[in-house]
Amino acid sequence: MHPHVDIESELRRLQDLLPMLVARLPAEEVLAAFAAEADSLAGLSSPVEIALVRERIARMLARAGLLPEGAGPDPSAPARHGAA
């Protein structure tokens, strides 16, 4: 991730973009397009930041009907920093 990217600003941008992607693209292309846009957050290094971003994106996608409600990050993913 570029050092000047603000996580909250980027998450807001993605939240605003998602309805436009859903409206403009065939359903089977929305997740790939969203993932490409979310790539701006790919360079996060803090496990806490990574967990936060995964959780927020999962909620966005669930609200848009692209993931089952209550779906979240992959439970087999590494645990959050400091988690047991």
Side-chain angles (χ1 to χ4, degrees):
M1 182 173 89
H2 192 278
H4 295 99
V5 173
D6 175 64
I7 294 171
E8 286 300 319
S9 295
E10 193 60 10
L11 287 169
R12 281 191 299 275
R13 181 186 75 81
L14 292 169
Q15 178 64 50
D16 292 344
L17 179 66
L18 189 53
M20 290 185 282
L21 293 175
V22 169
R24 293 182 183 166
L25 295 174
E28 62 274 5
E29 294 178 20
V30 173
L31 287 177
F34 185 81
E37 290 290 336
D39 195 45
S40 61
L41 293 167
L44 295 173
S45 58
S46 161
V48 173
E49 289 175 338
I50 292 167
L52 168 79
V53 167
R54 284 181 177 173
E55 181 179 321
R56 297 266 302 271
I57 286 176
R59 285 193 311 227
M60 282 181 215
L61 295 173
R63 281 192 304 266
L66 299 169
L67 287 180
E69 194 62 41
D74 181 357
S76 66
R80 291 181 180 166
H81 181 69

